[in-house]
Amino acid sequence: MDGVSTAILLLLLAVISLSLTFTSWGKGQLPPGPKPLPILGNLLQLRSQDLLTSLTKLSKKYGSVYTVYLGPRRVVVLSGYQTVKEALVDKGEEFSGRGSYPVFFNFTKGDGIAFSDGERWKVLRRFSVQILRNFGMGKRSIEERILEEGSFLLEVLRKTEGKPFDPVFILSRSVSNIICSVIFGSRFDYDDERLLTIIRFINDNFQIMSSPWGEMYNIFPSLLDWLPGPHRRVFRNFAGMKELIARSVREHQDSLDPNSPRDFIDCFLTKMAQEKKDPLSHFQMNTLLMTTHNLLFGGTETVGTTIRHAFLILMKYPKVQARVQEEIDRVVGRSRMPSLEDRVNMPYTDAVIHEVQRFADVIPMNLPHRVIRDTPFRGFVIPKGTDVITLLNTVHYDSEQFKTPREFNPEHFLDDNQAFKKSPAFMPFSAGRRLCLGEPLARMELFIYLTSILQNFTLHPLVEPEDIDLTPLSSGLGNLPRPFQLCVRVR
Ligand code: HEM
């Protein structure tokens, strides 16, 4: 690009951002916040370590509801259990829109379940939940798939023969295969090129999106589109995944029997055929590709990352690991795999898994929401179309909700009689209308994977437990644990 085009581009950006900034003033009573600069918004106040830390710091100064400008984009930030719950649960409908997330939006263009809005989102969500249920989500039939996949994972772990290994790839491959079997109809062999490609793309993208590059892209997408950097790989990876899904959809089309759907793709294709005469139908080819992509992305990295956090925590606190193993031995024994029915009899293990999810806080800033109409909220009015960031991190670390929020403490989920105790501030899957669609599946996976691994193995760190660092490597879209290796020894 020559100098003149660059100057025109920058001028255009300035005009757009100035108009966005100043047309927003005076529209209702916006929550307070730091004064924004043209184009940059509040970037100067957002420079410490990462976005999560900066936004949390600002909430200390401006309160649990404040306005901030991410570049030219106005965003209302909510923190603390009470405020986040009032928005997502008590005013669920108003806060149910999906906020702008350029790093996803540039790929999905608002299509697919996770990044669509309005009627299309409602229709897609209802349909997807129904189909996932039909294929067993939250029921026994999916438990069997998880158990089967879990036993393949145990086999892989056994083959490490007590030698050190990095768990990232091994876990993602196994977890991804569960949602793959629902979407594509069958699991992949662990060395199948399609599975390996999906994992590579998803791992890479989750990492980039959790890095400062991913965050900067979300603030200045038009500018970063012109700059080199790892963020460019995100779109190549997305395109690669889309092509892989499209290939599978073509294969499904060739062998489709509408009377006997094999998987999610068959069900979607059948619905597309039923509605093909309706020009306003939400069931289009691109929507199928994007929804499938969202399910794969949502269903792979989140669970794998949570299990990696759990590994680190259990190695740092060997007494917790031993107590979970004692409960497994007492309730399940060693001769059969754990099943979901065991969970009610395993309050300590249940509490540990909840505490891992609270403490690890895998999606610390949630996905952005948007208010779908002018919304009175805590004495302010948030104008229709304003993006809202709900800091789930401040819910999980709310000292009014958890006795020792900065510590890993399973007692947060146990009552005085050591029975399992729920907490309303447990929100790793968010809350309200946009609540994670895969929550029942994810909870089953976490329970069965962690209990069957600990039934068979003890996890050993390569460093002293006290030297294990539980602080995340980076916090963007996800809170990623620091890379580590471990050994698993047969019990
Ligand atoms: C430990 C595992 C998981 C965590 C921590 C997690 C967390 C989340 C969070 C925080 C959201 C955003 C909710 C909001 O906007 O308020 C979300 C949305 C979503 N998740 Fe999950 N998730 C997990 C597993 C899964 C699985 C296994 C699937 C696939 C079946 C999945 C599919 C989705 C989808 C499709 C959405 C978008 C929902 C919508 O916009 O209506 N997630 N998840």
Side-chain angles (χ1 to χ4, degrees), residues 17 43 90 94 451 454:
S17 68
L43 199 69
D90 302 348
E94 287 88 334
T451 50
L454 291 176

Side-chain angles (χ1 to χ4, degrees), residues 452-484:
S452 40
I453 291 170
L454 291 176
Q455 179 190 43
N456 287 277
F457 304 99
T458 301
L459 315 173
H460 292 275
L462 304 191
V463 296
E464 290 303 316
E466 51 277 17
D467 293 333
I468 295 175
D469 185 354
L470 296 181
T471 58
L473 173 70
S474 60
S475 303
L477 170 62
N479 255 337
L480 295 186
R482 288 164 193 281
F484 65 97

Side-chain angles (χ1 to χ4, degrees), residues 424-461:
F426 175 76
M427 288 192 191
F429 301 101
S430 184
R433 305 282 163 103
R434 285 270 181 180
L435 172 78
C436 170
L437 186 130
E439 173 181 3
L441 177 61
R443 295 195 55 218
M444 286 171 115
E445 290 176 6
L446 290 175
F447 180 78
I448 290 184
Y449 271 54
L450 285 168
T451 50
S452 40
I453 291 170
L454 291 176
Q455 179 190 43
N456 287 277
F457 304 99
T458 301
L459 315 173
H460 292 275

